[in-house]
Amino acid sequence: YFRGKMRGERAVKGSGVPYTIFRPSFLIGPGGEFTALLKQLTAFPVVPVIGPGNYRMQPLYVRDMARYFAQALDDERFVNQTLEVGGPETFDYNEMMRRTLAAQGKKGVLFNAPLFMVKPFVPVVEKVLPNLLSRDQLTMLLEGSMTTDRRLEEWGGFEQTPFRRAIQIALNSPPPATYAKAKMRPKQVGA
């Protein structure tokens, strides 16, 4: 997964065409895969956490990401830049799960499953429930997802949406109308 992304970035950079590459953290939004996963994981009073849960997270509201896309169209500072983008708050995975529970008005207990117990089952889960967890997703999760790139903050533009508000919107709003079309196969669009 990471190698594929890097090959794509190299191809874009080597094309000679002006570019802006965004490397976002986990995106939170209505209908999003990460949002659906958070909802599934917090559906019951015991919330499973892989490993110690101390990996750092900086989730970003999807509409904030869209605003950066729009800003990049008219702002020369974005030209030929690779920008890591995270949300306004950084916390560990355990805290993210607690905040997700709170946003739903729920209480729960985090169950930290030791990595040595989880890793052998990931290839099986990947085959049986590919949307739940893959080896690449586990690797990305354990590495955390945050940035120290502060250029977007320095360039200004807008105030990012705090996680609590982003997760409330994501969990309680229907996906945008364009979401269904994006999920269709090309021959189904317009049918």
Side-chain angles (χ1 to χ4, degrees):
Y1 177 77
F2 288 123
R3 285 190 298 271
K5 285 174 63 169
M6 290 310 295
R7 280 194 301 270
E9 284 189 16
R10 276 192 238 113
V12 167
K13 289 177 179 179
S15 71
V17 176
Y19 65 87
T20 302
I21 296 172
F22 289 104
R23 293 180 182 162
S25 181
F26 292 107
L27 293 173
I28 302 291
E33 290 179 19
F34 190 63
T35 302
L37 179 61
L38 290 177
K39 191 172 188 172
Q40 286 175 332
L41 292 172
T42 57
F44 301 102
V46 176
V47 179
V49 175
I50 297 173
N54 60 354
Y55 20 94
R56 304 297 287 167
M57 310 297 281
Q58 196 174 0
L60 175 68
Y61 184 43
V62 69
R63 288 187 181 161
D64 290 347
M65 187 70 251
R67 291 169 79 180
Y68 285 127
F69 290 154
Q71 187 178 354
L73 295 173
D74 295 326
D75 191 327
E76 288 292 320
R77 294 174 294 187
F78 285 77
V79 177
N80 297 332
Q81 297 294 318
T82 300
L83 300 158
E84 292 183 0
V85 189
E89 302 161 275
T90 303
F91 37 77
D92 67 21
Y93 184 85
N94 289 328
E95 181 62 22
M96 183 176 66
M97 298 312 286
R98 286 186 200 95
R99 291 181 184 199
T100 302
L101 285 164
Q104 298 173 83
K106 294 181 177 180
K107 293 186 186 270
V109 176
L110 303 185
F111 171 71
N112 296 82
L115 282 173
F116 74 88
M117 291 176 64
V118 174
K119 282 187 176 182
F121 292 101
V122 173
V124 175
V125 171
E126 187 173 29
K127 284 186 178 19
V128 178
L129 298 166
N131 292 337
L132 184 60
L133 184 66
S134 70
R135 287 173 274 205
D136 286 341
Q137 288 170 327
L138 177 63
T139 299
M140 289 188 309
L141 182 66
L142 296 176
E143 287 182 359
S145 183
M146 57 175 280
T147 180
T148 56
D149 189 343
R150 297 288 173 242
R151 288 177 288 171
L152 291 174
E153 287 175 30
E154 293 165 7
W155 295 349
F158 62 91
E159 188 174 326
Q160 289 184 331
T161 308
F163 178 77
R164 182 174 179 84
R165 181 72 183 128
I167 196 67
Q168 286 173 332
I169 294 168
L171 293 170
N172 298 310
S173 302
T178 54
Y179 179 79
K181 288 181 181 178
K183 288 288 194 181
M184 290 182 180
R185 293 185 191 135
K187 66 181 180 180
Q188 292 175 314
V189 175

